Amino acid sequence: QVQLVESGGGLVQAGGSLRLSCAASGLTFRNSVMGWFRQAPGKEREFVAVISESGGFTPYADSVKGRFTISRDNAKNTVYLQMNSLKPEDTAVYYCAADGVITSSPRPPDFDSWGQGTQVTVSS
């Protein structure tokens, strides 16, 4: 079965940076659209970024555009999320998702597989 394991979360001060990683197994990674979503307490899971199979198309949520960068290494079956200029409102559990559709703003039901999530906390 598909396994997605996120890492790299933690506590950081506002203005700082973190890089999340998601190691995938049990799927043909190079053929899979990959995405990052996040969920803050009391809120719905929301789209952050998505990356096409080749990495050539990378839509972002408006709230993170210019600060976050999604990338992938198909040789390592890993997708990354580089997060810079972090804000307290970025605090959430971040989830990696696989086998999705590539649109400008995908929704959680558009993805078939999910990781367990990694906590990102940004202090002010």
Side-chain angles (χ1 to χ4, degrees), residues 83-105:
M83 305 185 294
N84 299 329
S85 303
L86 282 161
K87 305 176 181 180
E89 51 264 44
D90 294 318
T91 295
V93 177
Y94 282 70
Y95 295 92
C96 174
D99 291 332
V101 295
I102 190 73
T103 71
S104 59
S105 185

Side-chain angles (χ1 to χ4, degrees), residues 65-101:
K65 204 171 294 183
R67 300 187 298 122
F68 290 11
T69 302
I70 188 171
S71 62
R72 65 191 296 159
D73 186 337
N74 286 348
K76 295 182 178 179
N77 286 7
T78 301
V79 62
Y80 306 97
L81 186 68
Q82 178 67 43
M83 305 185 294
N84 299 329
S85 303
L86 282 161
K87 305 176 181 180
E89 51 264 44
D90 294 318
T91 295
V93 177
Y94 282 70
Y95 295 92
C96 174
D99 291 332
V101 295

Side-chain angles (χ1 to χ4, degrees), residues 9-108:
L11 173 64
V12 64
Q13 288 189 331
S17 298
L18 284 173
R19 188 175 86 150
L20 305 183
S21 299
C22 172
S25 61
L27 76 166
T28 306
F29 184 81
R30 64 180 182 277
N31 293 340
S32 179
V33 171
M34 302 294 295
W36 287 97
F37 289 74
R38 67 186 181 186
Q39 188 167 16
K43 295 188 176 182
E44 293 186 351
R45 192 169 298 190
E46 65 175 7
F47 164 68
V48 174
V50 64
I51 187 166
S52 62
E53 297 91 328
S54 66
F57 185 48
T58 55
Y60 296 90
D62 287 343
S63 59
V64 307
K65 204 171 294 183
R67 300 187 298 122
F68 290 11
T69 302
I70 188 171
S71 62
R72 65 191 296 159
D73 186 337
N74 286 348
K76 295 182 178 179
N77 286 7
T78 301
V79 62
Y80 306 97
L81 186 68
Q82 178 67 43
M83 305 185 294
N84 299 329
S85 303
L86 282 161
K87 305 176 181 180
E89 51 264 44
D90 294 318
T91 295
V93 177
Y94 282 70
Y95 295 92
C96 174
D99 291 332
V101 295
I102 190 73
T103 71
S104 59
S105 185
R107 302 167 302 123

